[in-house]
């Protein structure tokens, strides 16, 4: 047989295949991803933690900073605004998540699941619009929307029924901060939940109808239990994005009105580190605040995994890799 | 409870899924709906269940019009082709589901679930989840869920089609036993003619959304009213030979013309003969050349070519046939069927020298 006296080229190819099959293959396949993760995620994290251990600021410049150990963390712990900013952060994240990113997204997904495909598609695209609108434009729109008479849309409309106008965003800053973020964020959960609902076989609902389940019982006993994993995913993912995203607050209330009324952790870090009123931006302190935020995010994720009993949700791998 | 369908039709937009179906399922009777895939069997079942509303006709339960009644008001239990078990619930909770949604007391639920699980023989599976069960076990759980509410009418949509052959036979016997024992009015859907014939008191054959015959299994096999039914029912399938009627004689391709006992309008016809009604004989009606012999244990299925036609016949194991051999075949005329070649309708006939 020709295969026995294989040509050298074929033998070399065989050797490459053997290396791939051997110990080298995991390195070969994982290498690029590991490099990317190291360069884009690990390195910045290390640098952030390193900076958080210095007193680096505009005043010290890049030459005169000192290593001050955990001094910045001490400052944070003893800050008189710690409780206020933490409370604001929790309020912001929980209210936006519960009311919009998960709650409203679920309602939208379940309602659109009962529409015809075309109507549901139009509806979903409408809800995607805020997501693809530049955030500055959206924030400006909402500011005009909420402005005092004679400009604000809300004031104009309410003026027609005799309700005196004022700046609604100043009057109800939290309502606007939460609604604006939720307005943008709800579409994410809606898409995830909609596709999960579409994956539930129709027979399950027919069987439930035969068994006399009302529409509400079908949602409660069939749809929602099967959305546990998507809900966990959206909750965890959106918690992390809400914790770190502050652009809409920056562009609308900028932490106000008044003193730190809507100042959340990430905005606080931004103000201290990059946009200080006094011009002395404290990079070290800002980095420490960012590091604490990461820990907060991790803590929240661990709690979620517990609450949703993540272990049960993870199936054994479908394909065995060896 | 008896179920009556009167000229029932169902349209989905421009698609007519079911048309003018009239059927009576008597109290305690098991009727099978048989037909090829896409002929409207499931739609008919869903209409009876109350999941679909008929676009025409009436559906009566126990003599009362039930067109607008919900599935619960009709008191139906149903097993779906996919079983439709809830993967996030245990077997116990799956079976308990119909009772939970109507807020039955917990102790009563436990008792009834246990009773029906014992009846069907799956008591030891109650703590498991559907994902941990075999197809046959899932099928039984689905049956339990349908039976736990003690329905007046049981609806089964291809309940056996996802099981392997042996399990299918065991399960259809089991379904028959349960149905007799509980005396429950049952409508059973199947695309498998052997299954429908073996399990049902009567079989309704569907074709293109219409119910084209409702007969007992024996009548369906022995007196198929049309060529479609004759072809669809029986394995191995019936043989068909072109035939002509002329001058009071029946001329079948390859066979010498035979005189008819009663006059039949002249024209072209199709003669149908089941494989067990073609026999090897020294001086048969037609000659053929064997091209394939399938040994199926007790019997052999012999394929033979006669002109353009390909014939199948059943012989006892060990018959003197080999591939390539020429054989002479005798038709059992008394058991042959004649169909109009255009409409396919059965035409009663008898030969003068072979009375039926
Ligand atoms: N919900 C529906 N919408 C549109 N057409 C349907 C629907 N359900 C069934 N049909 C059509 O009706 C016909 C009969 O379907 P079905 O009752 O499921 O057939 P079977 O159960 O005999 O395989 C098919 O042509 C199918 O495409
Ligand atoms: Mg079907």
């Amino acid at each position: 047989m020709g295969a026995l006296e294989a040509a050298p080229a074929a033998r070399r190819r065989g050797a490459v295949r053997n290396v791939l099959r051997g110990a080298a293959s995991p390195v070969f396949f994982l290498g690029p991803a590991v490099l990317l993760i190291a360069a884009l995620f690990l390195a910045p994290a290390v640098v952030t933690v390193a900076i958080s251990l210095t007193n680096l600021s505009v005043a010290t410049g890049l030459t005169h900073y000192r290593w001050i150990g955990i001094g910045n963390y001490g400052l944070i712990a003893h800050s008189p605004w710690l409780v206020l900013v933490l409370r604001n952060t929790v309020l912001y994240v929980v209210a936006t998540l519960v009311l919009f990113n998960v709650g409203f997204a679920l309602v939208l997904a379940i309602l659109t699941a009962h529409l015809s495909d075309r109507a549901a598609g139009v509806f979903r695209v409408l809800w995607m619009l805020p997501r693809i609108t530049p955030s500055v434009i959206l924030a400006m729109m909402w500011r005009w929307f909420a402005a005092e008479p004679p400009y604000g849309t809300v004031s104009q409309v309410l003026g027609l029924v005799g309700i005196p106008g004022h700046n609604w965003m100043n009057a109800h800053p939290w309502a606007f901060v939460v609604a604006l973020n939720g307005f943008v964020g709800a579409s994410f959960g809606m898409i995830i939940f909609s596709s999960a609902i579409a994956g539930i076989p129709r027979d399950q609902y027919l069987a439930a109808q035969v068994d006399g389940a009302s529409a509400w019982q079908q949602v409660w006993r069939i749809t929602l239990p099967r959305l546990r994993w998507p809900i966990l995913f959206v909750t965890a993912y959106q918690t992390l994005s809400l914790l770190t995203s502050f652009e809409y607050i920056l562009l609308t209330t900028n932490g106000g009105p008044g003193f730190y009324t809507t100042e959340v952790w990430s905005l606080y870090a931004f103000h201290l580190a990059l946009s200080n009123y006094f011009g002395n931006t404290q990079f070290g302190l800002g980095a420490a605040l960012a590091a604490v935020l990461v820990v907060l995010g991790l803590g929240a994720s661990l709690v979620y995994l517990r609450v949703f009993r993540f272990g049960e949700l993870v199936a054994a791998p479908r394909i065995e890799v060896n | 409870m008896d179920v009556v369908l009167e000229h029932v039709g169902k349209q989905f937009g421009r698609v007519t899924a079911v048309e003018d179906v009239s059927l009576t399922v008597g109290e305690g009777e098991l009727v099978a709906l048989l037909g090829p895939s896409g002929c409207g069997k499931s739609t008919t079942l869903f209409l009876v269940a109350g999941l679909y509303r008929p676009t025409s006709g009436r559906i009566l339960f126990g003599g009362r019009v039930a067109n607008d009644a919900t599935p619960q008001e009709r008191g139906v239990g149903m097993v779906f082709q996919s079983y439709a078990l809830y993967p996030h619930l245990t077997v116990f909770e799956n079976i308990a589901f119909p009772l939970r949604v109507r807020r039955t007391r917990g102790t009563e639920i436990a008792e009834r679930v246990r009773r029906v699980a014992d009846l069907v023989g799956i008591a030891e599976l109650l703590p498991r989840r559907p994902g941990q069960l075999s197809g046959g076990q899932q099928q039984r759980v689905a049956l339990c869920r349908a039976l736990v509410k003690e329905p007046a009418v049981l609806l089964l949509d291809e309940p056996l089609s996802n099981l392997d052959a042996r399990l299918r036979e065991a399960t259809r016997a089991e379904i028959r036993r349960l149905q007799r024992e509980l005396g429950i009015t049952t409508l059973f859907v199947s695309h498998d003619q052997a299954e429908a014939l073996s399990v049902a008191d009567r079989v309704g054959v569907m074709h293109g959304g219409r119910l084209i015959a409702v007969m007992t299994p024996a009548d369906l096999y022995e007196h198929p009213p049309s060529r479609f039914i004759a072809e669809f029912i029986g394995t191995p399938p019936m043989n068909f030979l072109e035939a002509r009627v002329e001058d009071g004689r029946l001329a079948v391709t390859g066979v010498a013309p035979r005189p008819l006992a009663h006059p039949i309008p002249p024209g072209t016809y199709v003669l149908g003969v089941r494989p067990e009604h073609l026999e090897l004989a020294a001086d048969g009606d037609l000659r053929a050349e064997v091209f394939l012999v399938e040994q199926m244990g007790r019997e052999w299925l012999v394929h033979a070519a006669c002109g353009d036609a390909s014939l199948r016949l059943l012989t006892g194991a060990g018959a003197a046939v080999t591939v390539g051999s020429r054989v002479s075949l005798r038709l059992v005329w008394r058991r042959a069927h004649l169909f109009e070649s255009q409409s396919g309708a059965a035409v009663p006939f008898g030969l003068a020298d072979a009375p039926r």
Side-chain angles (χ1 to χ4, degrees):
Chain A
M1 285 285 278
L4 286 178
E5 57 248 27
R11 218 177 297 143
R12 237 177 293 128
R13 248 181 283 132
V16 169
R17 216 176 298 138
N18 279 343
V19 169
L20 280 182
R21 241 185 245 136
S25 72
V27 176
F28 189 80
F29 284 113
L30 292 179
V34 169
L35 279 181
L36 276 177
I37 290 174
L40 296 177
F41 295 101
L42 224 51
V46 170
V47 170
T48 303
V49 171
I51 293 175
S52 79
L53 301 175
T54 70
N55 68 345
L56 191 70
S57 72
V58 166
T60 68
L62 282 176
T63 44
H64 293 95
Y65 67 87
R66 279 181 302 112
W67 293 91
I68 56 167
I70 58 166
N72 284 324
Y73 294 94
L75 273 181
I76 296 170
H78 293 110
S79 160
W81 321 123
L82 175 71
V83 174
L84 178 62
V85 172
L86 257 184
R87 203 209 59 177
N88 284 348
T89 308
V90 171
L91 175 65
Y92 166 61
V93 171
V94 171
T96 312
L97 258 185
V98 172
L99 294 180
F100 287 93
N101 289 4
V102 174
F104 194 53
L106 262 180
V107 172
L108 285 175
I110 290 170
L111 290 181
T112 50
H114 294 278
L115 295 177
S116 75
D117 280 351
R118 184 177 305 179
V122 169
F123 205 69
R124 285 178 198 142
V125 167
L126 278 182
W127 273 95
M128 289 302 285
L129 283 180
R131 193 166 278 278
I132 56 173
T133 309
S135 40
V136 179
I137 293 178
L138 201 61
M140 288 301 158
M141 277 168 53
W142 278 61
R143 276 169 69 167
W144 285 112
F145 187 59
E148 51 280 275
Y151 309 110
T153 320
V154 176
S155 296
Q156 285 175 5
V157 171
L158 291 182
L160 296 179
V161 287
I163 296 174
H166 53 224
N167 187 319
W168 293 91
M169 196 176 291
N170 282 344
H172 307 282
W174 274 115
F176 271 87
V177 163
V178 169
L180 174 52
N181 274 282
F183 190 69
V184 179
S187 61
F188 178 78
M190 177 187 71
I191 295 295
I192 303 264
F193 299 146
S194 292
S195 55
I197 292 173
I200 303 174
R202 192 175 78 112
D203 277 1
Q204 305 229 328
Y205 292 100
L206 295 180
Q209 285 164 33
V210 168
D211 291 339
S214 62
W216 170 246
Q217 282 173 322
Q218 290 171 44
V219 168
W220 184 250
R221 289 176 181 270
I222 298 173
T223 309
L224 285 181
R226 301 206 47 185
L227 292 182
R228 213 166 86 187
W229 166 236
I231 291 173
L232 164 64
F233 170 69
V234 170
T235 305
Y237 186 92
Q238 295 278 37
T239 299
L240 299 184
S241 14
L242 284 170
L243 276 177
T244 54
S245 77
F246 55 86
E247 71 266 33
Y248 290 108
I249 306 183
L250 177 72
L251 292 168
T252 49
T253 65
N254 195 14
F259 183 73
Y260 281 180
T261 309
T262 55
E263 183 89 348
V264 296
W265 196 280
S266 51
L267 186 59
Y268 186 53
F270 171 78
H271 280 151
L272 288 185
L274 299 170
S275 171
N276 196 300
Y277 179 75
F278 302 104
N280 179 23
T281 55
Q282 298 161 285
F283 305 125
L285 183 57
L289 283 165
V292 172
L293 195 59
V294 170
V295 174
L296 286 179
L298 282 178
S301 305
L302 289 177
V303 170
Y304 292 145
L305 295 187
R306 260 293 168 72
V307 169
F308 284 89
R309 283 171 295 178
F310 182 68
E312 280 177 28
L313 292 172
V314 182
R318 304 258 165 108
I319 303 172
E320 274 188 36
V321 182
N322 258 321
Chain B
M1 178 96 71
D2 63 334
V3 179
V4 178
L5 281 73
E6 289 178 351
H7 307 290
V8 169
K10 175 67 185 172
Q11 285 187 307
F12 297 103
R14 243 173 283 149
V15 180
T16 303
V18 167
E19 204 174 350
D20 195 24
V21 166
S22 295
L23 173 71
T24 300
V25 187
E27 165 94 48
E29 193 184 23
L30 196 165
V31 172
L33 285 179
L34 173 65
S37 185
C39 69
K41 307 179 298 290
S42 296
T43 305
T44 308
L45 206 66
F46 285 15
L47 285 165
V48 175
L51 290 169
Y52 292 160
R53 189 184 289 248
T55 36
S56 59
R58 300 199 305 168
I59 298 176
L60 298 95
F61 272 64
R64 300 241 302 266
V65 178
N67 279 26
D68 298 326
T70 64
Q72 193 173 5
E73 286 161 356
R74 298 179 193 208
V76 297
M78 182 154 172
V79 174
F80 288 78
Q81 184 170 6
S82 64
Y83 309 143
L85 298 178
Y86 309 119
H88 58 280
L89 299 179
T90 61
V91 167
F92 181 95
E93 284 302 328
N94 264 283
I95 300 173
F97 189 91
L99 305 177
R100 290 247 185 265
V101 298
R102 70 191 65 167
R103 310 194 189 293
T104 312
R105 267 185 310 111
T107 50
E108 191 188 335
I109 289 178
E111 189 187 312
R112 284 172 67 174
V113 170
R114 219 155 280 286
R115 196 177 336 130
V116 74
D118 281 336
L119 183 73
V120 179
I122 55 158
E124 75 284 0
L125 302 180
L126 289 177
R128 298 217 215 148
R129 278 175 199 271
Q132 304 165 321
L133 304 181
S134 72
Q137 289 170 330
Q138 292 185 22
Q139 202 272 343
R140 282 156 184 266
V141 175
L143 191 58
C144 281
R145 185 177 63 187
L147 290 175
V148 75
K149 39 185 177 171
E150 292 163 11
V153 175
L154 182 62
L155 305 172
L156 307 167
D157 190 2
E158 313 229 9
L160 308 178
S161 62
N162 291 331
L163 304 180
D164 62 59
R166 189 162 287 266
L167 196 55
R168 199 178 310 171
E169 279 179 25
T171 310
R172 79 187 182 207
E174 176 77 5
I175 286 178
R176 189 60 172 151
R177 175 186 74 81
L178 279 170
Q179 191 266 339
R180 283 266 163 77
E181 214 169 286
L182 302 171
I184 187 168
T185 307
T186 303
L187 196 55
F188 179 110
V189 161
S190 176
H191 67 266
D192 178 342
Q193 49 93 23
E195 184 176 300
L197 295 193
S198 70
V199 88
D201 294 313
R202 285 186 304 142
V203 177
V205 182
M206 291 194 72
H207 182 44
R210 289 175 172 275
L211 189 61
I212 54 174
V214 186
M215 303 169 88
T216 64
D219 273 351
L220 213 48
Y221 190 81
E222 288 173 19
H223 308 291
S226 73
R227 179 174 170 178
F228 172 79
I229 292 174
E231 211 167 351
F232 191 64
I233 284 178
T235 44
M238 188 181 273
N239 298 296
F240 294 99
L241 292 163
E242 282 173 27
R244 291 190 64 76
V245 171
E246 267 171 351
D247 310 328
R249 294 197 305 175
L250 177 66
V252 178
T253 316
V255 181
R258 309 281 296 262
L260 287 163
H262 310 285
I264 291 178
T268 57
Y269 291 82
V270 176
L271 187 80
V273 189
R274 293 206 181 275
E276 62 268 36
H277 300 140
L278 270 180
E279 296 169 351
L280 293 169
D283 54 344
D285 298 292
L286 43 78
R287 309 204 155 267
E289 182 177 333
V290 176
F291 64 89
L292 178 65
V293 178
E294 290 181 62
Q295 307 190 356
M296 307 193 305
R298 189 160 42 86
E299 296 170 314
W300 287 2
L301 176 60
V302 178
H303 299 254
C306 169
D308 295 339
S310 162
L311 300 175
R312 288 166 293 261
L313 60 137
L314 284 168
T315 68
V321 285
T322 51
V323 172
S325 65
R326 295 195 64 81
V327 290
S328 166
L329 303 175
R330 183 166 59 218
L331 282 157
V332 182
W333 288 101
R334 275 189 308 110
R335 310 294 296 274
H337 309 271
L338 199 61
F339 305 103
E340 279 179 8
S341 66
Q342 288 300 313
S343 70
V347 180
F349 83 106
L351 296 182
D353 50 355
R356 287 171 81 88

